[in-house]
Amino acid sequence: MKLKKIAAVISAAAVMLALAGCGEGSQTSSTPNSEQSSTPNSEQSSTPNSEQSSTGLNPEESTSPNQTSESSVVDVSAFEYEHDDDRNGMKITGYKLQESEVHIPETIDGEKVIGIGENAFKDCTSITSISIPDSVTEIGDTAFGGCTSLTSITIPDSVTEISGSAFVSCTSLTSVTIPNSVTSIGVFAFSDCTSLTSITIPDSVTSIESGAFGNCKNIKATYKGQTYDHDHISDLNKAINSN
């Protein structure tokens, strides 16, 4: 009897060991399959595509030119202006900022700037240089009067008239070249420009009013190859107005 009981115990133990071995085998055979089937595929299918679509260079290349072109546009909000119905264009009437260098726009609201109005930049003492576009034909009375820091100005060859006191008391202005388009220079146009030493007047000027260079004690004005100093400005006026 004892031998039969011992044989039964040994048989039961063998069955249990066989069952345990199958359980471990099923675990080791299923885990690698799940890792290989899910993880690599998801990484390969999603990661590269998302990187290429989101971090490409095309968006940056398409926006950079726009940023450059916007920065080069003159800010017209710095200026006051009005429409000149008689001449069908815009006229600058004022300046709001305190900048040293001023670039007057060629167009405003799609229309050409054709004039610098009366007192437009009067007493703007921070301005050192002004660039005027070649759409402008007239510089109004006292347009730049009292711009005491102004040392340089470019008058384009579209301007035909420099009005009275246009540059009066621009005490830092040292030289001016008047273009061949100008036909008249108004009264006191450059009066009290005490630092003005050199100005060239073209043959196109046929009218110059009294006091245009009043109190410009250091001036040397050249007209038709002849130079006139302060003491002989009246002779210059006569030579011009006799044409």
Side-chain angles (χ1 to χ4, degrees):
M1 291 293 292
K2 291 182 179 180
L3 292 172
K4 291 182 178 179
K5 289 182 179 179
I6 292 171
V9 170
I10 293 172
S11 177
V15 171
M16 291 179 65
L17 289 172
L19 292 173
C22 291
E24 291 176 356
S26 63
Q27 289 176 359
T28 55
S29 64
S30 62
T31 303
N33 290 337
S34 62
E35 290 178 354
Q36 291 174 357
S37 63
S38 63
T39 306
N41 290 339
S42 62
E43 289 178 355
Q44 291 176 358
S45 62
S46 63
T47 305
N49 291 337
S50 62
E51 288 179 353
Q52 289 177 358
S53 62
S54 63
T55 61
L57 295 177
N58 289 336
E60 293 180 357
E61 291 174 353
S62 62
T63 55
S64 296
N66 290 336
Q67 294 174 354
T68 302
S69 62
E70 288 175 1
S71 65
S72 64
V73 175
V74 176
D75 182 10
V76 298
S77 65
F79 302 90
E80 296 175 359
Y81 51 89
E82 64 182 18
H83 190 268
D84 189 331
D85 295 332
D86 294 334
R87 302 172 61 201
N88 194 28
M90 291 295 189
K91 179 186 291 186
I92 301 295
T93 60
Y95 186 62
K96 303 174 185 178
L97 304 182
Q98 295 293 323
E99 300 293 330
S100 59
E101 296 183 3
V102 176
H103 299 275
I104 297 173
E106 185 172 358
T107 61
I108 295 178
D109 294 340
E111 296 194 52
K112 285 189 175 184
V113 174
I114 46 86
I116 312 298
E118 181 178 349
N119 300 324
F121 294 90
K122 183 181 179 182
D123 296 329
C124 291
T125 55
S126 64
I127 298 176
T128 60
S129 66
I130 298 173
S131 177
I132 303 174
D134 58 11
S135 58
V136 172
T137 60
E138 180 183 4
I139 299 175
D141 292 349
T142 325
F144 301 100
C147 292
T148 54
S149 298
L150 182 63
T151 60
S152 167
I153 186 164
T154 301
I155 302 175
D157 58 10
S158 56
V159 173
T160 59
E161 179 181 359
I162 300 175
S163 300
S165 301
F167 297 96
V168 65
S169 297
C170 290
T171 53
S172 297
L173 192 63
T174 58
S175 64
V176 176
T177 298
I178 300 174
N180 291 325
S181 56
V182 174
T183 59
S184 65
I185 301 174
V187 61
F188 304 130
F190 295 93
S191 179
D192 293 318
C193 291
T194 52
S195 297
L196 187 60
T197 58
S198 175
I199 186 165
T200 301
I201 302 171
D203 297 354
S204 60
V205 176
T206 57
S207 173
I208 183 169
E209 297 189 40
S210 62
F213 300 104
N215 202 35
C216 295
K217 296 181 179 180
N218 298 308
I219 194 172
K220 300 289 184 183
T222 302
Y223 175 68
K224 289 188 176 181
Q226 187 169 348
T227 301
Y228 301 83
D229 60 17
H230 175 261
D231 295 333
H232 297 90
I233 287 297
S234 59
D235 295 333
L236 170 64
N237 292 352
K238 289 177 182 179
I240 293 175
N241 292 326
S242 64
N243 294 330

